[in-house]
């Protein structure tokens, strides 16, 4: 095992070169690796560069993550993930016998504050759609499916198709393969204003 003759700052250089190639070849995620590299560099620069990897403790990593300046809870978790991946890489190459970051649980880090769900007012929606009508008419149909029909923006709109909208039966049908619930969903009882907007702006009309 070669872990006693390799300080963290030296190991990081190898990690940046080899891990970068591994990630980019396997996943094509250059940005993902860039983020990992930056966070690992911050950890090493925070006073751990001259340390040997097997001397770093879980508590030290936890203290470091909790102390990242001006960091939101999500950012702390991202730093913990980066350090954990770095030590996994060291473990794979037998520079350490265990990953000290692996024992840091989510419950040990601050939680994200719960945010109150907010709703757009009728005036805000009207102003937004009128602007879309003027500057980007092709966007209108896409937006009313979310704003009026309630189709989930993040989970379902990426694969949404105009074929899901059925004016004859006054329904919007989300197939199981697209629905967040993984079950076929039927949205009915929509207000007439939805159908008026759809008739005016649906693609192909």
């Amino acid at each position: 095992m070669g872990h006693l003759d390799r300080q963290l700052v030296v190991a990081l250089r190898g990690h940046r070169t080899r891990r970068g190639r591994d990630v980019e070849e396997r996943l094509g995620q250059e940005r993902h690796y860039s983020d990992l590299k930056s966070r690992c560099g911050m950890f090493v620069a925070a006073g751990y560069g001259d340390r040997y990897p097997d001397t770093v403790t879980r508590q030290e990593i936890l203290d470091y993550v909790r102390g990242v300046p001006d960091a939101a809870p999500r950012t702390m978790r991202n730093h913990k993930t980066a350090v954990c991946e770095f030590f996994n890489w060291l473990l794979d190459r037998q520079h350490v016998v265990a990953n000290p970051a692996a024992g840091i649980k989510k419950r040990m880090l601050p939680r994200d504050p719960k945010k109150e769900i907010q709703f757009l007012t009728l005036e805000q929606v009207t102003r937004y759609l009128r602007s879309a009508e003027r500057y980007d008419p092709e966007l209108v149909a896409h937006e009313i499916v979310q704003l009026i029909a309630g189709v989930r923006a993040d989970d379902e709109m990426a694969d949404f198709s105009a074929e899901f909208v059925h004016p004859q039966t006054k329904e919007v049908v989300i197939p199981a393969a697209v629905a967040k619930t993984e079950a076929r969903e039927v949205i009915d009882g929509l207000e007439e204003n939805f159908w008026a907007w759809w008739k005016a702006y649906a693609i192909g009309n």
Side-chain angles (χ1 to χ4, degrees):
M1 180 174 293
H3 64 285
L4 293 178
D5 61 350
R6 180 166 296 219
Q7 294 168 300
L8 278 172
V9 69
V10 178
L12 180 62
R13 287 198 287 268
H15 175 263
R16 283 177 166 171
T17 302
R18 299 175 190 171
R19 177 64 175 167
R21 281 200 300 266
D22 291 346
V23 170
E24 290 170 13
E25 290 175 2
R26 180 166 51 88
L27 303 175
Q29 296 181 350
E30 294 184 16
R31 182 176 178 182
H32 170 72
Y33 173 64
S34 178
D35 290 343
L36 285 177
K37 180 174 65 174
S38 174
R39 294 184 182 117
C40 286
M42 287 179 62
F43 171 70
V44 170
Y48 295 94
D50 293 331
R51 295 276 298 277
Y52 293 105
D54 58 352
T55 69
V56 179
T57 67
R58 182 181 72 175
Q59 188 60 50
E60 286 178 317
I61 296 173
L62 182 58
D63 290 342
Y64 163 76
V65 170
R66 286 173 172 169
V68 173
D70 301 319
R74 179 182 293 274
T75 302
M76 292 184 191
R77 293 198 298 272
N78 290 341
H79 276 271
K80 180 264 179 183
T81 298
V83 175
C84 190
E85 289 223 10
F86 180 34
F87 275 93
N88 276 337
W89 182 85
L90 292 170
L91 183 62
D92 289 343
R93 283 152 183 78
Q94 297 186 324
H95 298 314
V96 294
V97 296
N99 181 346
I104 298 175
K105 307 300 182 184
K106 187 177 180 179
R107 57 181 168 77
M108 297 177 178
L109 299 173
R111 295 183 179 182
D112 289 303
K114 291 186 177 180
K115 297 181 180 179
E116 182 180 352
I117 296 175
Q118 297 181 333
F119 298 92
L120 295 174
T121 66
L122 180 59
E123 180 183 356
Q124 289 172 322
V125 172
T126 301
R127 191 163 59 244
Y128 173 66
L129 289 177
R130 293 306 181 193
S131 295
E133 277 187 296
R134 181 176 180 180
Y135 298 107
D136 194 356
E138 294 184 358
L139 182 65
V140 175
H142 181 276
E143 296 302 276
I144 65 166
V145 168
Q146 300 174 74
L147 292 169
I148 303 178
V151 175
R152 298 176 181 90
D154 295 336
D155 303 288
E156 297 169 345
M157 285 306 298
D159 298 309
F160 192 85
S161 169
E163 298 175 357
F164 301 168
V165 181
H166 303 278
Q168 299 83 359
T169 59
K170 298 294 181 72
E171 296 174 331
V172 176
V173 180
I174 313 296
V178 175
K180 181 180 180 180
T181 60
E182 299 183 351
R184 182 175 180 268
E185 295 184 7
V186 178
I187 304 171
D188 54 15
L190 292 168
E191 299 288 342
E192 285 301 319
N193 64 345
F194 172 81
W195 300 108
W197 282 102
W198 183 261
K199 182 178 180 180
Y201 288 100
I203 296 173
N205 285 357

